[in-house]
Amino acid sequence: MRSPLLWLALLCHSCLATAYVFLTPAFEGPDENSHYEYAWSLANNGHLPLSPGLATERGLPQTEGAVLAHHPPLYYALLAACLVVSGDTDTVFGPILNPDFGQPVAAGTHLRFVHGGDERAPRARAARVLLDLRLVSVALGLLSLLCVRALARACCPERPVLGDVAALLTACLPMWSFLHGVLNSDNLAILMATATLLALVRFVRSEAPTWRGAASIGLLLGLALLAKLTTLFLAPLAAVAFTLVAAREIRAGRGRRALLPAGVALAVAALVCGWWFVRNLQLYGDPLAMRVHDAAFPGIAPQYVWPFFWNGFLPQVFASLLGCFGWFTLPPPRALVAAGGVAAALAGLGLMRLALDRPRAPMPRPLWLLFGTCALVFAATAHFNTKVPQPQGRLLLVAVGPAAVLFATGLLRAGAMLRVARQARWFAALPPLVAGAVLVAWFRPAFDPALAPAPAHHASLVGDIVSGTTQPAIGWLEPAAGSTLAAPPRLRWRAAEPAPGAIYSLYAYDARGRVWLATHEWSHGEILLQGGEAVLPEGAWALLPKDRDVFLELRAVPDWRAGERLGQMPVSTALRCRRE
């Protein structure tokens, strides 16, 4: 298959997104720590978490809750499966907030968390867990680009190059590359939305729609709704598509079978995702669980809605579509915004000229589906921002397929108007060069982890709690093995070769390998276990279950700045006990 632009697009995406995988410090993607928490909870517990408020209301430990528990679970199930297969379900995390985050004069203003030497340690297995999960995002992006190309070819089969150009423009969008270099459920939502739109286009344009095609649409729609609620726009588009096909079948004299495809698609979609909306209704009294989401963010006072819309949302959402990095603190360079504006103007001019061409040139079809997708996604994002101020362009990327098709169509026509066909190769090189420059000259300096150094004993992730192979070098003096304890125990231990000032972390896990406690990581170092004796704080004790035995394991915390590594540190035997 000779498609140089497609191969260039796939190469650009692979290189750029993978660069963001390794250059973005731990959890510096938007809500990345919460995405990891959800996946870790699912992998570690074996069932879906609850919202933190509901877990507290039911008297459950914090490990039963997750901040994003109200989000659909498909993306997190994918990450959890990766953790289970790799044996990394016992990798706990504990990022520490950077006090300089958001301070204009601070060098590390764009870093939400502090970062220690563990992230740069070549043998730190736990640090690689996050990198491996981020590579799943890169793979999802590759599939999405293939769907973008296929969508363009399905909409305009007369112009195969359109799909390659659409894929290249998408792959070189800095926000696309950054988002696919971190953990974010938008990545799966983009893939499922684009695949569903591709299926709808093929279904609408087919001469004889089949129930198999309808079933595939229902399956993809159900999976999309399980990926993220930003894909809800697919439901009305699917309804319109099936209505148009049914009307066409009735006009053709096949009225008896006109409603069969819609019924099949609806039934399959309900089987795939209906349970999730029923669960939300039972748990939160809201099938979309938006009340839980809205409660976690400050709202907008009614008198400020329209001022924010005109002065905040509109200017920021389109700029951030080009690239807004980290936790949305590093906006795109002004030159990039200007270049994007020029390109958008040319694309719009090209589309208008194409509509006026006589004889009419090939235009992507169905136009109502392409424009309808863009309009619905923008309207949903704008409506969301009337309640919660989140002018984030990433929320628009679920419409990237239709937008890329229209954008590429307009640019190709504008290029023909400007007679730049001979310079096409040079223009094809511009998007990769711009994207690379943004990564190297704009993103990388601002997100250098050295700008927000962590305490010497801090690690963003710690693994091998249950599966570690280090020989025990710490002996328990108290409590006794098999004890049933009614109150937080006094811990006494003796290290074979005690190091002066050594800091320890206490871990608790059950026979199934579920981690219930990590004192140093979860308290951000505030629970200080030193000197061979300590009393477990009540807050930590309350995290342990009462219905099963747990194993207590003590491990010395490495000094990452001094070059110590986790696998070299003393560890205790696993002490079995139970909370009464």
Side-chain angles (χ1 to χ4, degrees), residues 38 41-42 47-51 54 58 60 64-66 68-73 226 273-289 292:
Y38 194 151
S41 176
L42 186 54
H47 57 259
L48 291 172
L50 303 173
S51 68
L54 186 58
R58 295 187 174 187
L60 300 173
E64 291 288 348
L68 300 181
H70 57 284
H71 281 212
L226 283 181
C273 69
W275 64 272
W276 171 252
F277 298 102
V278 172
R279 179 180 183 270
N280 284 341
L281 187 62
Q282 293 174 338
L283 291 177
Y284 309 116
D286 174 8
L288 301 182
V292 181

mmCIF file of all heavy atoms in Angstrom, residues 38 41-42 47-51 54 58 60 64-66 68-73 226 273-289 292:
data_model
loop_
_atom_site.group_PDB
_atom_site.id
_atom_site.type_symbol
_atom_site.label_atom_id
_atom_site.label_comp_id
_atom_site.label_asym_id
_atom_site.label_seq_id
_atom_site.Cartn_x
_atom_site.Cartn_y
_atom_site.Cartn_z
ATOM 1 N N TYR A 38 -7.917 5.093 39.639
ATOM 2 C CA TYR A 38 -9.082 4.309 39.216
ATOM 3 C C TYR A 38 -8.624 2.940 38.695
ATOM 4 O O TYR A 38 -9.138 1.893 39.107
ATOM 5 C CB TYR A 38 -9.824 5.082 38.135
ATOM 6 C CG TYR A 38 -11.220 4.600 37.798
ATOM 7 C CD1 TYR A 38 -12.172 5.503 37.330
ATOM 8 C CD2 TYR A 38 -11.602 3.267 37.909
ATOM 9 C CE1 TYR A 38 -13.462 5.104 36.998
ATOM 10 C CE2 TYR A 38 -12.888 2.852 37.571
ATOM 11 C CZ TYR A 38 -13.811 3.779 37.113
ATOM 12 O OH TYR A 38 -15.075 3.368 36.768
ATOM 13 N N SER A 41 -7.147 0.834 41.531
ATOM 14 C CA SER A 41 -8.207 0.324 42.406
ATOM 15 C C SER A 41 -8.914 -0.864 41.772
ATOM 16 O O SER A 41 -9.167 -1.879 42.425
ATOM 17 C CB SER A 41 -9.208 1.444 42.707
ATOM 18 O OG SER A 41 -10.286 0.971 43.477
ATOM 19 N N LEU A 42 -9.220 -0.748 40.487
ATOM 20 C CA LEU A 42 -9.911 -1.830 39.789
ATOM 21 C C LEU A 42 -9.038 -3.077 39.715
ATOM 22 O O LEU A 42 -9.513 -4.204 39.936
ATOM 23 C CB LEU A 42 -10.299 -1.357 38.388
ATOM 24 C CG LEU A 42 -11.164 -2.272 37.527
ATOM 25 C CD1 LEU A 42 -12.434 -2.670 38.260
ATOM 26 C CD2 LEU A 42 -11.501 -1.590 36.209
ATOM 27 N N HIS A 47 -12.987 -5.086 41.647
ATOM 28 C CA HIS A 47 -14.335 -4.582 41.390
ATOM 29 C C HIS A 47 -14.278 -3.065 41.248
ATOM 30 O O HIS A 47 -13.283 -2.426 41.600
ATOM 31 C CB HIS A 47 -15.306 -4.977 42.510
ATOM 32 C CG HIS A 47 -14.882 -4.516 43.872
ATOM 33 N ND1 HIS A 47 -14.291 -5.361 44.782
ATOM 34 C CD2 HIS A 47 -14.930 -3.297 44.479
ATOM 35 C CE1 HIS A 47 -14.017 -4.695 45.888
ATOM 36 N NE2 HIS A 47 -14.394 -3.436 45.726
ATOM 37 N N LEU A 48 -15.361 -2.483 40.726
ATOM 38 C CA LEU A 48 -15.400 -1.052 40.468
ATOM 39 C C LEU A 48 -15.395 -0.262 41.777
ATOM 40 O O LEU A 48 -16.059 -0.647 42.744
ATOM 41 C CB LEU A 48 -16.650 -0.690 39.667
ATOM 42 C CG LEU A 48 -16.680 -1.179 38.222
ATOM 43 C CD1 LEU A 48 -18.058 -0.930 37.616
ATOM 44 C CD2 LEU A 48 -15.618 -0.477 37.394
ATOM 45 N N PRO A 49 -14.648 0.848 41.822
ATOM 46 C CA PRO A 49 -14.650 1.678 43.025
ATOM 47 C C PRO A 49 -15.912 2.528 43.111
ATOM 48 O O PRO A 49 -16.672 2.654 42.149
ATOM 49 C CB PRO A 49 -13.417 2.562 42.827
ATOM 50 C CG PRO A 49 -13.297 2.687 41.342
ATOM 51 C CD PRO A 49 -13.759 1.360 40.779
ATOM 52 N N LEU A 50 -16.111 3.121 44.272
ATOM 53 C CA LEU A 50 -17.194 4.061 44.505
ATOM 54 C C LEU A 50 -16.625 5.465 44.576
ATOM 55 O O LEU A 50 -15.406 5.652 44.687
ATOM 56 C CB LEU A 50 -17.924 3.733 45.807
ATOM 57 C CG LEU A 50 -18.522 2.328 45.939
ATOM 58 C CD1 LEU A 50 -19.041 2.126 47.363
ATOM 59 C CD2 LEU A 50 -19.623 2.110 44.932
ATOM 60 N N SER A 51 -17.468 6.462 44.505
ATOM 61 C CA SER A 51 -16.992 7.818 44.731
ATOM 62 C C SER A 51 -16.526 7.921 46.182
ATOM 63 O O SER A 51 -17.045 7.228 47.063
ATOM 64 C CB SER A 51 -18.108 8.823 44.469
ATOM 65 O OG SER A 51 -19.132 8.699 45.451
ATOM 66 N N LEU A 54 -19.314 8.435 48.764
ATOM 67 C CA LEU A 54 -20.168 7.275 49.000
ATOM 68 C C LEU A 54 -19.418 6.203 49.787
ATOM 69 O O LEU A 54 -20.008 5.536 50.654
ATOM 70 C CB LEU A 54 -20.650 6.702 47.662
ATOM 71 C CG LEU A 54 -21.663 5.564 47.739
ATOM 72 C CD1 LEU A 54 -22.899 5.993 48.508
ATOM 73 C CD2 LEU A 54 -22.049 5.092 46.340
ATOM 74 N N ARG A 58 -20.587 4.807 53.491
ATOM 75 C CA ARG A 58 -20.819 3.387 53.783
ATOM 76 C C ARG A 58 -19.817 2.816 54.771
ATOM 77 O O ARG A 58 -19.823 1.613 55.038
ATOM 78 C CB ARG A 58 -20.787 2.589 52.485
ATOM 79 C CG ARG A 58 -21.915 2.939 51.527
ATOM 80 C CD ARG A 58 -21.932 2.001 50.339
ATOM 81 N NE ARG A 58 -23.091 2.247 49.490
ATOM 82 C CZ ARG A 58 -23.422 1.484 48.445
ATOM 83 N NH1 ARG A 58 -22.687 0.426 48.135
ATOM 84 N NH2 ARG A 58 -24.491 1.778 47.720
ATOM 85 N N LEU A 60 -16.555 2.486 54.410
ATOM 86 C CA LEU A 60 -15.539 1.695 53.739
ATOM 87 C C LEU A 60 -14.205 2.434 53.743
ATOM 88 O O LEU A 60 -14.167 3.660 53.804
ATOM 89 C CB LEU A 60 -15.960 1.417 52.297
ATOM 90 C CG LEU A 60 -17.273 0.642 52.129
ATOM 91 C CD1 LEU A 60 -17.671 0.582 50.661
ATOM 92 C CD2 LEU A 60 -17.141 -0.764 52.711
ATOM 93 N N GLU A 64 -11.524 1.761 48.737
ATOM 94 C CA GLU A 64 -12.751 1.399 48.030
ATOM 95 C C GLU A 64 -13.281 2.555 47.188
ATOM 96 O O GLU A 64 -14.247 2.389 46.451
ATOM 97 C CB GLU A 64 -13.829 0.956 49.027
ATOM 98 C CG GLU A 64 -13.555 -0.363 49.707
ATOM 99 C CD GLU A 64 -13.729 -1.547 48.772
ATOM 100 O OE1 GLU A 64 -14.287 -1.358 47.667
ATOM 101 O OE2 GLU A 64 -13.291 -2.654 49.121
ATOM 102 N N GLY A 65 -12.667 3.703 47.315
ATOM 103 C CA GLY A 65 -13.124 4.879 46.571
ATOM 104 C C GLY A 65 -12.091 5.344 45.574
ATOM 105 O O GLY A 65 -10.903 5.024 45.668
ATOM 106 N N ALA A 66 -12.537 6.115 44.590
ATOM 107 C CA ALA A 66 -11.654 6.743 43.611
ATOM 108 C C ALA A 66 -12.304 8.046 43.174
ATOM 109 O O ALA A 66 -13.528 8.116 42.999
ATOM 110 C CB ALA A 66 -11.418 5.831 42.409
ATOM 111 N N LEU A 68 -12.403 9.552 40.390
ATOM 112 C CA LEU A 68 -13.092 9.482 39.097
ATOM 113 C C LEU A 68 -14.013 8.265 38.991
ATOM 114 O O LEU A 68 -14.344 7.841 37.882
ATOM 115 C CB LEU A 68 -12.068 9.451 37.958
ATOM 116 C CG LEU A 68 -11.138 10.658 37.854
ATOM 117 C CD1 LEU A 68 -10.194 10.500 36.663
ATOM 118 C CD2 LEU A 68 -11.915 11.957 37.717
ATOM 119 N N ALA A 69 -14.454 7.737 40.123
ATOM 120 C CA ALA A 69 -15.259 6.509 40.095
ATOM 121 C C ALA A 69 -16.563 6.675 39.334
ATOM 122 O O ALA A 69 -17.148 5.688 38.873
ATOM 123 C CB ALA A 69 -15.547 6.051 41.525
ATOM 124 N N HIS A 70 -17.044 7.912 39.156
ATOM 125 C CA HIS A 70 -18.283 8.139 38.423
ATOM 126 C C HIS A 70 -18.067 8.106 36.911
ATOM 127 O O HIS A 70 -19.040 8.158 36.160
ATOM 128 C CB HIS A 70 -18.882 9.487 38.820
ATOM 129 C CG HIS A 70 -17.958 10.647 38.603
ATOM 130 N ND1 HIS A 70 -16.905 10.917 39.442
ATOM 131 C CD2 HIS A 70 -17.920 11.606 37.643
ATOM 132 C CE1 HIS A 70 -16.264 11.981 39.011
ATOM 133 N NE2 HIS A 70 -16.852 12.418 37.914
ATOM 134 N N HIS A 71 -16.820 8.041 36.468
ATOM 135 C CA HIS A 71 -16.545 7.961 35.038
ATOM 136 C C HIS A 71 -16.806 6.552 34.519
ATOM 137 O O HIS A 71 -16.577 5.570 35.240
ATOM 138 C CB HIS A 71 -15.087 8.329 34.754
ATOM 139 C CG HIS A 71 -14.835 9.806 34.773
ATOM 140 N ND1 HIS A 71 -13.890 10.410 33.991
ATOM 141 C CD2 HIS A 71 -15.422 10.818 35.469
ATOM 142 C CE1 HIS A 71 -13.885 11.710 34.200
ATOM 143 N NE2 HIS A 71 -14.811 11.973 35.105
ATOM 144 N N PRO A 72 -17.225 6.404 33.268
ATOM 145 C CA PRO A 72 -17.406 5.060 32.696
ATOM 146 C C PRO A 72 -16.112 4.256 32.781
ATOM 147 O O PRO A 72 -15.011 4.813 32.717
ATOM 148 C CB PRO A 72 -17.807 5.355 31.246
ATOM 149 C CG PRO A 72 -18.446 6.710 31.308
ATOM 150 C CD PRO A 72 -17.684 7.467 32.346
ATOM 151 N N PRO A 73 -16.213 2.925 32.888
ATOM 152 C CA PRO A 73 -15.050 2.129 33.311
ATOM 153 C C PRO A 73 -14.194 1.511 32.215
ATOM 154 O O PRO A 73 -13.185 0.880 32.527
ATOM 155 C CB PRO A 73 -15.726 1.013 34.119
ATOM 156 C CG PRO A 73 -17.021 0.788 33.404
ATOM 157 C CD PRO A 73 -17.457 2.142 32.896
ATOM 158 N N LEU A 226 -19.267 3.588 27.216
ATOM 159 C CA LEU A 226 -18.534 3.055 28.362
ATOM 160 C C LEU A 226 -17.133 3.643 28.461
ATOM 161 O O LEU A 226 -16.437 3.405 29.447
ATOM 162 C CB LEU A 226 -18.435 1.524 28.272
ATOM 163 C CG LEU A 226 -19.676 0.727 28.645
ATOM 164 C CD1 LEU A 226 -19.399 -0.761 28.518
ATOM 165 C CD2 LEU A 226 -20.134 1.051 30.067
ATOM 166 N N CYS A 273 -23.889 -1.348 27.387
ATOM 167 C CA CYS A 273 -23.622 -0.270 28.349
ATOM 168 C C CYS A 273 -24.791 0.062 29.276
ATOM 169 O O CYS A 273 -24.622 0.881 30.185
ATOM 170 C CB CYS A 273 -23.200 0.998 27.604
ATOM 171 S SG CYS A 273 -24.522 1.763 26.636
ATOM 172 N N GLY A 274 -25.946 -0.550 29.069
ATOM 173 C CA GLY A 274 -27.102 -0.191 29.883
ATOM 174 C C GLY A 274 -26.876 -0.399 31.367
ATOM 175 O O GLY A 274 -27.352 0.392 32.198
ATOM 176 N N TRP A 275 -26.139 -1.447 31.719
ATOM 177 C CA TRP A 275 -25.906 -1.755 33.133
ATOM 178 C C TRP A 275 -25.207 -0.607 33.863
ATOM 179 O O TRP A 275 -25.450 -0.377 35.056
ATOM 180 C CB TRP A 275 -25.060 -3.020 33.262
ATOM 181 C CG TRP A 275 -23.678 -2.866 32.689
ATOM 182 C CD1 TRP A 275 -23.292 -3.082 31.402
ATOM 183 C CD2 TRP A 275 -22.508 -2.421 33.392
ATOM 184 N NE1 TRP A 275 -21.954 -2.814 31.247
ATOM 185 C CE2 TRP A 275 -21.441 -2.404 32.454
ATOM 186 C CE3 TRP A 275 -22.258 -2.043 34.714
ATOM 187 C CZ2 TRP A 275 -20.160 -2.026 32.797
ATOM 188 C CZ3 TRP A 275 -20.968 -1.653 35.065
ATOM 189 C CH2 TRP A 275 -19.937 -1.658 34.110
ATOM 190 N N TRP A 276 -24.345 0.117 33.128
ATOM 191 C CA TRP A 276 -23.585 1.192 33.769
ATOM 192 C C TRP A 276 -24.503 2.329 34.191
ATOM 193 O O TRP A 276 -24.367 2.867 35.303
ATOM 194 C CB TRP A 276 -22.518 1.705 32.813
ATOM 195 C CG TRP A 276 -21.827 2.944 33.292
ATOM 196 C CD1 TRP A 276 -21.960 4.206 32.816
ATOM 197 C CD2 TRP A 276 -20.903 3.029 34.386
ATOM 198 N NE1 TRP A 276 -21.174 5.079 33.531
ATOM 199 C CE2 TRP A 276 -20.517 4.388 34.505
ATOM 200 C CE3 TRP A 276 -20.372 2.099 35.272
ATOM 201 C CZ2 TRP A 276 -19.623 4.815 35.472
ATOM 202 C CZ3 TRP A 276 -19.473 2.541 36.236
ATOM 203 C CH2 TRP A 276 -19.108 3.872 36.323
ATOM 204 N N PHE A 277 -25.455 2.690 33.356
ATOM 205 C CA PHE A 277 -26.371 3.774 33.676
ATOM 206 C C PHE A 277 -27.347 3.357 34.779
ATOM 207 O O PHE A 277 -27.730 4.178 35.611
ATOM 208 C CB PHE A 277 -27.109 4.220 32.417
ATOM 209 C CG PHE A 277 -26.186 4.764 31.357
ATOM 210 C CD1 PHE A 277 -25.830 3.992 30.267
ATOM 211 C CD2 PHE A 277 -25.652 6.029 31.473
ATOM 212 C CE1 PHE A 277 -24.961 4.481 29.308
ATOM 213 C CE2 PHE A 277 -24.787 6.536 30.521
ATOM 214 C CZ PHE A 277 -24.440 5.752 29.429
ATOM 215 N N VAL A 278 -27.721 2.083 34.793
ATOM 216 C CA VAL A 278 -28.564 1.584 35.883
ATOM 217 C C VAL A 278 -27.801 1.631 37.206
ATOM 218 O O VAL A 278 -28.345 2.023 38.251
ATOM 219 C CB VAL A 278 -29.039 0.149 35.574
ATOM 220 C CG1 VAL A 278 -29.757 -0.449 36.778
ATOM 221 C CG2 VAL A 278 -29.952 0.140 34.351
ATOM 222 N N ARG A 279 -26.527 1.247 37.171
ATOM 223 C CA ARG A 279 -25.691 1.292 38.384
ATOM 224 C C ARG A 279 -25.577 2.714 38.909
ATOM 225 O O ARG A 279 -25.697 2.945 40.125
ATOM 226 C CB ARG A 279 -24.304 0.730 38.078
ATOM 227 C CG ARG A 279 -23.329 0.735 39.255
ATOM 228 C CD ARG A 279 -21.986 0.152 38.830
ATOM 229 N NE ARG A 279 -21.059 0.083 39.934
ATOM 230 C CZ ARG A 279 -20.202 1.052 40.295
ATOM 231 N NH1 ARG A 279 -20.199 2.190 39.596
ATOM 232 N NH2 ARG A 279 -19.383 0.897 41.319
ATOM 233 N N ASN A 280 -25.335 3.676 38.023
ATOM 234 C CA ASN A 280 -25.250 5.075 38.449
ATOM 235 C C ASN A 280 -26.551 5.539 39.085
ATOM 236 O O ASN A 280 -26.543 6.270 40.084
ATOM 237 C CB ASN A 280 -24.922 5.971 37.250
ATOM 238 C CG ASN A 280 -23.468 5.877 36.839
ATOM 239 O OD1 ASN A 280 -22.617 5.440 37.608
ATOM 240 N ND2 ASN A 280 -23.178 6.278 35.615
ATOM 241 N N LEU A 281 -27.659 5.130 38.500
ATOM 242 C CA LEU A 281 -28.956 5.526 39.041
ATOM 243 C C LEU A 281 -29.152 4.956 40.441
ATOM 244 O O LEU A 281 -29.664 5.641 41.335
ATOM 245 C CB LEU A 281 -30.075 5.043 38.110
ATOM 246 C CG LEU A 281 -31.492 5.519 38.428
ATOM 247 C CD1 LEU A 281 -31.584 7.041 38.345
ATOM 248 C CD2 LEU A 281 -32.501 4.875 37.480
ATOM 249 N N GLN A 282 -28.727 3.726 40.643
ATOM 250 C CA GLN A 282 -28.867 3.090 41.954
ATOM 251 C C GLN A 282 -27.942 3.719 42.995
ATOM 252 O O GLN A 282 -28.333 3.911 44.151
ATOM 253 C CB GLN A 282 -28.597 1.595 41.838
ATOM 254 C CG GLN A 282 -29.631 0.834 41.017
ATOM 255 C CD GLN A 282 -29.251 -0.628 40.803
ATOM 256 O OE1 GLN A 282 -28.077 -0.995 40.897
ATOM 257 N NE2 GLN A 282 -30.237 -1.444 40.507
ATOM 258 N N LEU A 283 -26.708 4.028 42.588
ATOM 259 C CA LEU A 283 -25.723 4.534 43.537
ATOM 260 C C LEU A 283 -25.873 6.021 43.800
ATOM 261 O O LEU A 283 -25.775 6.483 44.946
ATOM 262 C CB LEU A 283 -24.306 4.257 43.024
ATOM 263 C CG LEU A 283 -23.846 2.804 42.994
ATOM 264 C CD1 LEU A 283 -22.457 2.709 42.392
ATOM 265 C CD2 LEU A 283 -23.853 2.202 44.395
ATOM 266 N N TYR A 284 -26.098 6.792 42.722
ATOM 267 C CA TYR A 284 -26.027 8.242 42.844
ATOM 268 C C TYR A 284 -27.336 8.947 42.523
ATOM 269 O O TYR A 284 -27.410 10.180 42.598
ATOM 270 C CB TYR A 284 -24.937 8.783 41.908
ATOM 271 C CG TYR A 284 -23.616 8.077 42.074
ATOM 272 C CD1 TYR A 284 -23.066 7.331 41.034
ATOM 273 C CD2 TYR A 284 -22.913 8.133 43.278
ATOM 274 C CE1 TYR A 284 -21.847 6.670 41.176
ATOM 275 C CE2 TYR A 284 -21.702 7.477 43.433
ATOM 276 C CZ TYR A 284 -21.175 6.750 42.376
ATOM 277 O OH TYR A 284 -19.972 6.104 42.533
ATOM 278 N N GLY A 285 -28.369 8.174 42.130
ATOM 279 C CA GLY A 285 -29.638 8.781 41.785
ATOM 280 C C GLY A 285 -29.608 9.560 40.498
ATOM 281 O O GLY A 285 -30.459 10.422 40.255
ATOM 282 N N ASP A 286 -28.624 9.274 39.639
ATOM 283 C CA ASP A 286 -28.418 10.026 38.406
ATOM 284 C C ASP A 286 -27.752 9.084 37.406
ATOM 285 O O ASP A 286 -26.637 8.611 37.646
ATOM 286 C CB ASP A 286 -27.521 11.231 38.686
ATOM 287 C CG ASP A 286 -27.138 11.999 37.432
ATOM 288 O OD1 ASP A 286 -27.676 11.700 36.358
ATOM 289 O OD2 ASP A 286 -26.292 12.907 37.548
ATOM 290 N N PRO A 287 -28.412 8.756 36.287
ATOM 291 C CA PRO A 287 -27.824 7.789 35.358
ATOM 292 C C PRO A 287 -26.490 8.230 34.779
ATOM 293 O O PRO A 287 -25.659 7.391 34.422
ATOM 294 C CB PRO A 287 -28.889 7.642 34.260
ATOM 295 C CG PRO A 287 -29.753 8.849 34.386
ATOM 296 C CD PRO A 287 -29.730 9.218 35.826
ATOM 297 N N LEU A 288 -26.237 9.533 34.679
ATOM 298 C CA LEU A 288 -24.964 10.028 34.159
ATOM 299 C C LEU A 288 -23.961 10.336 35.271
ATOM 300 O O LEU A 288 -22.795 10.620 34.979
ATOM 301 C CB LEU A 288 -25.179 11.284 33.315
ATOM 302 C CG LEU A 288 -26.101 11.140 32.103
ATOM 303 C CD1 LEU A 288 -26.180 12.462 31.343
ATOM 304 C CD2 LEU A 288 -25.627 10.024 31.179
ATOM 305 N N ALA A 289 -24.393 10.310 36.518
ATOM 306 C CA ALA A 289 -23.535 10.597 37.687
ATOM 307 C C ALA A 289 -22.900 11.983 37.591
ATOM 308 O O ALA A 289 -21.817 12.216 38.134
ATOM 309 C CB ALA A 289 -22.450 9.523 37.840
ATOM 310 N N VAL A 292 -22.152 13.940 40.953
ATOM 311 C CA VAL A 292 -20.892 13.650 41.646
ATOM 312 C C VAL A 292 -19.775 14.489 41.041
ATOM 313 O O VAL A 292 -18.941 15.055 41.745
ATOM 314 C CB VAL A 292 -20.557 12.149 41.552
ATOM 315 C CG1 VAL A 292 -19.265 11.844 42.289
ATOM 316 C CG2 VAL A 292 -21.695 11.314 42.117
#
